[in-house]
Amino acid sequence: MSEPKAASLLAQSIPSTYADVPAKRGALYKQVLKRLKNNKRSLLGLWMVSLFIFIAILAPWISPYDPLEQNMDKLLQAPSLSHPFGTDEYGRDILSRIFYGSRISLMVGIVGVVISVVFGVAFGTIAGYFGGKIESVIMRVTDIFMAFPGFLLALAIVSVLGPGMVNLMIAIGIFSVPSFIWITRSAVLSVKNKEYIEASRSMGAKHRRIIFKHIIPNSIAPIIVLSALRVATAILSASGLSFLGMGAQPPSPEWGAMLSAGREFLRTAPHLSIVPGIAIMLVVLGFNLLGDGLRDALDPKMKV
């Protein structure tokens, strides 16, 4: 099942349990945490994600070498005690580059998703809450963007803006916005006609207060799920763009760029590509497991 479809189904099911009783939200959150703790796959994903975040934060202190320091006496060395993951074609320590590369990959993934959430939730809420011509315009534009494969759309945006980290994050953010618009609109449509919303309107509450006080808080569950899943997609897409030379530029220790540089040495030094490839696989797997666990935990139809 695709990410938007899974989150959309969650958006339709959550309001009946979570949004109808705002006063009991604290107790419901405890139940969600209990479900999350009992899900072994989500805990594994959480540990994996936490490990990479820990590595990214402490990279300057735990890296044994400077990731950009070249040593022509140690070119293409195999893994050893002094260099656990070996060295690359310039004698740089791969372990140190992997540690620093986690900073880049996580930053691109998280910042890209934050951009998507901000614009996706804003437009999705406007479309779902106000409806009419505004909704038609927003959703038709969204349909046009969704007609393009996400990676190709990001590639086209980077091609226009030019390679670089900032442009890469913008591209990743833009190509994920349509999914958040659809999910947010679906969630808003499910809650905007609830009794407590009608009570707020009858008491003279303004649209802004209703949206920020009731609509968005009670539509947040599917957005959280999609965000976790989208971080994995963003990291994978960013690595793919860097692999093609459209993302982080040398000598930046970005995993996709490292993977691209290592393909020329697959026969003589396969560790140049294997190590960053495994790093990408593990962080993407971690976010996917965490996202699946959040989806199950936030679904009121699931049993503990």
Side-chain angles (χ1 to χ4, degrees), residues 175-228:
F175 97 79
S176 297
V177 167
S179 297
F180 282 96
I181 291 177
W182 269 104
I183 298 311
T184 304
R185 172 181 172 271
S186 176
V188 170
L189 288 175
S190 298
V191 303
K192 76 171 187 177
N193 291 321
K194 296 295 182 180
E195 289 79 2
Y196 58 90
I197 302 294
E198 294 296 336
S200 296
R201 291 197 187 102
S202 65
M203 294 174 66
K206 296 182 179 180
H207 293 311
R208 184 174 63 180
R209 176 176 174 80
I210 293 174
I211 290 173
F212 287 100
K213 184 72 175 179
H214 300 294
I215 296 292
I216 293 180
N218 292 300
S219 305
I220 202 68
I223 298 171
I224 293 174
V225 174
L226 185 59
S227 297

Side-chain angles (χ1 to χ4, degrees), residues 10 13-18 25-44 46 221 225 289-304:
L10 178 62
S13 63
I14 283 178
S16 61
T17 298
Y18 290 86
R25 203 174 294 150
L28 293 173
Y29 287 161
K30 292 181 180 179
Q31 189 177 18
V32 167
L33 290 176
K34 185 177 180 180
R35 288 173 175 163
L36 197 59
K37 290 179 181 178
N38 290 338
N39 189 322
K40 294 182 179 180
R41 289 185 303 171
S42 66
L43 288 178
L44 176 60
L46 180 61
V225 174
L289 290 175
L290 179 60
D292 287 340
L294 287 171
R295 181 192 60 200
D296 295 341
L298 291 168
D299 188 349
K301 296 180 181 178
M302 296 292 294
K303 294 183 178 180
V304 179

Side-chain angles (χ1 to χ4, degrees), residues 25 31 33 50 54 68 79 84 97 121 137 155 161 175 239 244 254:
R25 203 174 294 150
Q31 189 177 18
L33 290 176
S50 300
F54 177 80
L68 303 180
R97 290 177 66 78
V121 171
V137 171
L155 180 59
L161 298 178
F175 97 79
S239 298
L244 297 175
E254 201 277 333

